[in-house]
Amino acid sequence: MIVVPFFSAWHAPLVEAALSAGGEECRVLAAGGEEVVRAGLETVNNDACYAALLAAGRTVGFLREGAAAGAALAGRGTCLPKQRMHARPAAARPGVDLANGEAAQPMAEKPLGPLADPVAGPLRVAVPTPCVRCRGDDAPYLLAQALAASGLEARASVISGTDALEALAADARAAARLADALAFGDALLQARLRVRPYTRPADAPVFDALLAASSARACRALAANAFVLEGSLRAFGAALAGFGVSERDGRPIVGVVGAAPAVFDERMNAGLVACIEREGCEAALPYLLPLAAAALREKGAAVPLHAALDERCRVLQRHAGACLRCPTVQDLERAGTEVVPRFLVQGAGWTIAGSALLFVRAGVRDLVYARAFGCLAGHVVGQGAIKPLRTWCAADGVDANIATIEVDPGTSEVNQVNRIKLMTAVAKRAAARRRSNP
């Protein structure tokens, strides 16, 4: 069995289904609360890449639970139940209202437990490394060290996510399934962000159930090699009709940019989207598809998969509906290199500046840069892009509000929330000013 500690609970079930369809059982670990952080801190230096620390925490927690459950059941001759190791995002569970703050920590629920007895044979852990030539590349090494420190090295071997994707990309059907999974995950997430804040209270549980059912149907189709992306997007778009309100109410849209784990991992960013929505704003996240494609291109890895991801970006453009347009890698690069030089590819590189500039051009005037403490490439490329981005906006007559939120296992969430509250207060005043002086 292959295990993947992932950073997006929205994409996790779809990725799991797509990878499992290849014949080898796969489990994607995207859940976990404070116990994940604690497990990571016990086995990885706290000045390591935060994403790597969480990957270690999720994997160690999974193996520890498997060992404990296996020991408890061994004497009774009972097989461990097969359960899903990722948690469905809170927004996709009926009755959970992120806008009212009832799920500020959608990743905080306890993982359901192991899927199979890990004693039956060693697992392979594939660690995604979505950043380019940065400290995140140490994640496989750090995870191997974490397993050794926990006495679990005999239960699992560690492989680089890049190497795993290289092997997967050799199979055109497998590459297509993974690209489809990421694309549909993006469609679900973007619809959630764009429609849910404007959904009438009576319709909110129905909307959440629709997202959950759409994800479940897509997972079944992916696992059966029967998923058709364009048909699924058309059906999903038709099902969305009638949700939301006819006109937006003028609330500001806050775009979130940064390295992929800091943007999508709600354990890492302490429920940033929920916090933005609680403050009366609409949150906007970039699409994962072009970010993943850009990382593969700069690494020179899994070329067929990179091409498949880029092609799905164009498919999503045709089915955007009320959502923000999905850029291609070329769109990101053109926008990003207006702000930072093309050769700055470390970490998330020019994709941070590109995402920010595309948000601004789409009318998003308020931006949060989610930055992980100790992410040196992020400090140089991401934080360094803020000043030239402000200069570009000022020269173009754009009133932009840009704030940096630092995420770290040792950072007080109260400080993060207060920083977001200040940022959203400024955003609401600016939105009111723009409405009165169009």
Side-chain angles (χ1 to χ4, degrees), residues 68-86:
L73 295 173
R76 300 200 298 269
T78 306
C79 294
L80 290 174
K82 290 191 174 184
Q83 300 172 339
R84 304 188 78 81
M85 263 305 296
H86 57 73

PDB file of all heavy atoms in Angstrom, residues 68-86:
ATOM      1  N   ALA A  68      -1.176   0.344  17.307  1.00  0.00           N
ATOM      2  CA  ALA A  68      -1.971   0.175  18.522  1.00  0.00           C
ATOM      3  C   ALA A  68      -3.222  -0.642  18.241  1.00  0.00           C
ATOM      4  O   ALA A  68      -3.582  -1.548  19.008  1.00  0.00           O
ATOM      5  CB  ALA A  68      -2.341   1.552  19.084  1.00  0.00           C
ATOM      6  N   ALA A  69      -3.889  -0.337  17.132  1.00  0.00           N
ATOM      7  CA  ALA A  69      -5.105  -1.080  16.814  1.00  0.00           C
ATOM      8  C   ALA A  69      -4.787  -2.526  16.471  1.00  0.00           C
ATOM      9  O   ALA A  69      -5.527  -3.448  16.838  1.00  0.00           O
ATOM     10  CB  ALA A  69      -5.832  -0.408  15.650  1.00  0.00           C
ATOM     11  N   GLY A  70      -3.663  -2.741  15.769  1.00  0.00           N
ATOM     12  CA  GLY A  70      -3.278  -4.109  15.420  1.00  0.00           C
ATOM     13  C   GLY A  70      -2.988  -4.941  16.652  1.00  0.00           C
ATOM     14  O   GLY A  70      -3.387  -6.101  16.752  1.00  0.00           O
ATOM     15  N   ALA A  71      -2.304  -4.326  17.635  1.00  0.00           N
ATOM     16  CA  ALA A  71      -1.991  -5.048  18.866  1.00  0.00           C
ATOM     17  C   ALA A  71      -3.256  -5.372  19.645  1.00  0.00           C
ATOM     18  O   ALA A  71      -3.405  -6.452  20.218  1.00  0.00           O
ATOM     19  CB  ALA A  71      -1.040  -4.220  19.721  1.00  0.00           C
ATOM     20  N   ALA A  72      -4.199  -4.407  19.650  1.00  0.00           N
ATOM     21  CA  ALA A  72      -5.434  -4.617  20.413  1.00  0.00           C
ATOM     22  C   ALA A  72      -6.297  -5.708  19.803  1.00  0.00           C
ATOM     23  O   ALA A  72      -6.984  -6.448  20.517  1.00  0.00           O
ATOM     24  CB  ALA A  72      -6.219  -3.302  20.480  1.00  0.00           C
ATOM     25  N   LEU A  73      -6.261  -5.837  18.484  1.00  0.00           N
ATOM     26  CA  LEU A  73      -7.148  -6.777  17.811  1.00  0.00           C
ATOM     27  C   LEU A  73      -6.492  -8.132  17.536  1.00  0.00           C
ATOM     28  O   LEU A  73      -7.181  -9.090  17.207  1.00  0.00           O
ATOM     29  CB  LEU A  73      -7.641  -6.177  16.487  1.00  0.00           C
ATOM     30  CG  LEU A  73      -8.530  -4.937  16.625  1.00  0.00           C
ATOM     31  CD1 LEU A  73      -8.808  -4.348  15.250  1.00  0.00           C
ATOM     32  CD2 LEU A  73      -9.837  -5.281  17.319  1.00  0.00           C
ATOM     33  N   ALA A  74      -5.160  -8.189  17.652  1.00  0.00           N
ATOM     34  CA  ALA A  74      -4.457  -9.418  17.296  1.00  0.00           C
ATOM     35  C   ALA A  74      -4.925 -10.594  18.143  1.00  0.00           C
ATOM     36  O   ALA A  74      -5.113 -11.705  17.647  1.00  0.00           O
ATOM     37  CB  ALA A  74      -2.952  -9.230  17.456  1.00  0.00           C
ATOM     38  N   GLY A  75      -5.142 -10.347  19.427  1.00  0.00           N
ATOM     39  CA  GLY A  75      -5.542 -11.432  20.313  1.00  0.00           C
ATOM     40  C   GLY A  75      -6.946 -11.940  20.036  1.00  0.00           C
ATOM     41  O   GLY A  75      -7.293 -13.050  20.416  1.00  0.00           O
ATOM     42  N   ARG A  76      -7.764 -11.097  19.364  1.00  0.00           N
ATOM     43  CA  ARG A  76      -9.137 -11.502  19.099  1.00  0.00           C
ATOM     44  C   ARG A  76      -9.299 -12.072  17.696  1.00  0.00           C
ATOM     45  O   ARG A  76     -10.398 -12.449  17.289  1.00  0.00           O
ATOM     46  CB  ARG A  76     -10.077 -10.299  19.262  1.00  0.00           C
ATOM     47  CG  ARG A  76     -10.031  -9.702  20.660  1.00  0.00           C
ATOM     48  CD  ARG A  76     -11.277  -8.873  20.938  1.00  0.00           C
ATOM     49  NE  ARG A  76     -11.403  -7.742  20.038  1.00  0.00           N
ATOM     50  CZ  ARG A  76     -10.905  -6.533  20.291  1.00  0.00           C
ATOM     51  NH1 ARG A  76     -10.216  -6.326  21.408  1.00  0.00           N
ATOM     52  NH2 ARG A  76     -11.093  -5.537  19.439  1.00  0.00           N
ATOM     53  N   GLY A  77      -8.202 -12.067  16.913  1.00  0.00           N
ATOM     54  CA  GLY A  77      -8.272 -12.593  15.560  1.00  0.00           C
ATOM     55  C   GLY A  77      -9.152 -11.758  14.664  1.00  0.00           C
ATOM     56  O   GLY A  77      -9.793 -12.280  13.756  1.00  0.00           O
ATOM     57  N   THR A  78      -9.244 -10.455  14.947  1.00  0.00           N
ATOM     58  CA  THR A  78     -10.131  -9.568  14.207  1.00  0.00           C
ATOM     59  C   THR A  78      -9.345  -8.763  13.195  1.00  0.00           C
ATOM     60  O   THR A  78      -8.279  -8.248  13.507  1.00  0.00           O
ATOM     61  CB  THR A  78     -10.831  -8.594  15.179  1.00  0.00           C
ATOM     62  OG1 THR A  78     -11.462  -9.357  16.192  1.00  0.00           O
ATOM     63  CG2 THR A  78     -11.861  -7.744  14.453  1.00  0.00           C
ATOM     64  N   CYS A  79      -9.886  -8.664  12.007  1.00  0.00           N
ATOM     65  CA  CYS A  79      -9.244  -7.838  10.982  1.00  0.00           C
ATOM     66  C   CYS A  79      -9.591  -6.378  11.223  1.00  0.00           C
ATOM     67  O   CYS A  79     -10.705  -6.048  11.630  1.00  0.00           O
ATOM     68  CB  CYS A  79      -9.718  -8.241   9.578  1.00  0.00           C
ATOM     69  SG  CYS A  79      -9.200  -9.902   9.136  1.00  0.00           S
ATOM     70  N   LEU A  80      -8.650  -5.539  10.989  1.00  0.00           N
ATOM     71  CA  LEU A  80      -8.908  -4.104  11.131  1.00  0.00           C
ATOM     72  C   LEU A  80      -9.852  -3.635  10.035  1.00  0.00           C
ATOM     73  O   LEU A  80      -9.742  -4.061   8.899  1.00  0.00           O
ATOM     74  CB  LEU A  80      -7.593  -3.319  11.023  1.00  0.00           C
ATOM     75  CG  LEU A  80      -6.651  -3.484  12.205  1.00  0.00           C
ATOM     76  CD1 LEU A  80      -5.348  -2.776  11.888  1.00  0.00           C
ATOM     77  CD2 LEU A  80      -7.259  -2.910  13.457  1.00  0.00           C
ATOM     78  N   PRO A  81     -10.782  -2.756  10.370  1.00  0.00           N
ATOM     79  CA  PRO A  81     -11.714  -2.259   9.351  1.00  0.00           C
ATOM     80  C   PRO A  81     -11.010  -1.345   8.379  1.00  0.00           C
ATOM     81  O   PRO A  81     -10.067  -0.651   8.745  1.00  0.00           O
ATOM     82  CB  PRO A  81     -12.744  -1.469  10.174  1.00  0.00           C
ATOM     83  CG  PRO A  81     -11.991  -1.025  11.387  1.00  0.00           C
ATOM     84  CD  PRO A  81     -11.031  -2.154  11.690  1.00  0.00           C
ATOM     85  N   LYS A  82     -11.470  -1.363   7.146  1.00  0.00           N
ATOM     86  CA  LYS A  82     -10.944  -0.442   6.152  1.00  0.00           C
ATOM     87  C   LYS A  82     -11.725   0.858   6.236  1.00  0.00           C
ATOM     88  O   LYS A  82     -12.923   0.892   6.012  1.00  0.00           O
ATOM     89  CB  LYS A  82     -11.061  -1.037   4.750  1.00  0.00           C
ATOM     90  CG  LYS A  82     -10.112  -2.196   4.526  1.00  0.00           C
ATOM     91  CD  LYS A  82     -10.058  -2.571   3.057  1.00  0.00           C
ATOM     92  CE  LYS A  82      -8.993  -3.630   2.811  1.00  0.00           C
ATOM     93  NZ  LYS A  82      -8.864  -3.946   1.391  1.00  0.00           N
ATOM     94  N   GLN A  83     -11.031   1.924   6.581  1.00  0.00           N
ATOM     95  CA  GLN A  83     -11.658   3.229   6.715  1.00  0.00           C
ATOM     96  C   GLN A  83     -10.834   4.241   5.944  1.00  0.00           C
ATOM     97  O   GLN A  83      -9.682   4.011   5.623  1.00  0.00           O
ATOM     98  CB  GLN A  83     -11.719   3.654   8.191  1.00  0.00           C
ATOM     99  CG  GLN A  83     -12.506   2.680   9.051  1.00  0.00           C
ATOM    100  CD  GLN A  83     -12.385   3.018  10.512  1.00  0.00           C
ATOM    101  OE1 GLN A  83     -11.454   3.699  10.928  1.00  0.00           O
ATOM    102  NE2 GLN A  83     -13.318   2.538  11.299  1.00  0.00           N
ATOM    103  N   ARG A  84     -11.426   5.386   5.684  1.00  0.00           N
ATOM    104  CA  ARG A  84     -10.720   6.433   4.946  1.00  0.00           C
ATOM    105  C   ARG A  84      -9.872   7.226   5.923  1.00  0.00           C
ATOM    106  O   ARG A  84     -10.326   7.644   6.972  1.00  0.00           O
ATOM    107  CB  ARG A  84     -11.718   7.347   4.242  1.00  0.00           C
ATOM    108  CG  ARG A  84     -12.649   6.580   3.315  1.00  0.00           C
ATOM    109  CD  ARG A  84     -13.477   7.531   2.504  1.00  0.00           C
ATOM    110  NE  ARG A  84     -12.727   8.104   1.408  1.00  0.00           N
ATOM    111  CZ  ARG A  84     -12.518   7.477   0.258  1.00  0.00           C
ATOM    112  NH1 ARG A  84     -12.975   6.272   0.074  1.00  0.00           N
ATOM    113  NH2 ARG A  84     -11.840   8.061  -0.704  1.00  0.00           N
ATOM    114  N   MET A  85      -8.628   7.489   5.551  1.00  0.00           N
ATOM    115  CA  MET A  85      -7.740   8.206   6.445  1.00  0.00           C
ATOM    116  C   MET A  85      -7.806   9.711   6.274  1.00  0.00           C
ATOM    117  O   MET A  85      -7.276  10.438   7.072  1.00  0.00           O
ATOM    118  CB  MET A  85      -6.297   7.755   6.220  1.00  0.00           C
ATOM    119  CG  MET A  85      -5.826   6.707   7.179  1.00  0.00           C
ATOM    120  SD  MET A  85      -6.023   7.165   8.880  1.00  0.00           S
ATOM    121  CE  MET A  85      -4.923   8.557   8.981  1.00  0.00           C
ATOM    122  N   HIS A  86      -8.401  10.188   5.207  1.00  0.00           N
ATOM    123  CA  HIS A  86      -8.540  11.633   5.072  1.00  0.00           C
ATOM    124  C   HIS A  86      -9.916  12.037   5.560  1.00  0.00           C
ATOM    125  O   HIS A  86     -10.862  11.270   5.474  1.00  0.00           O
ATOM    126  CB  HIS A  86      -8.345  12.087   3.613  1.00  0.00           C
ATOM    127  CG  HIS A  86      -9.279  11.419   2.669  1.00  0.00           C
ATOM    128  ND1 HIS A  86     -10.620  11.734   2.611  1.00  0.00           N
ATOM    129  CD2 HIS A  86      -9.073  10.434   1.765  1.00  0.00           C
ATOM    130  CE1 HIS A  86     -11.193  10.984   1.702  1.00  0.00           C
ATOM    131  NE2 HIS A  86     -10.300  10.180   1.182  1.00  0.00           N
TER     132      HIS A  86
END
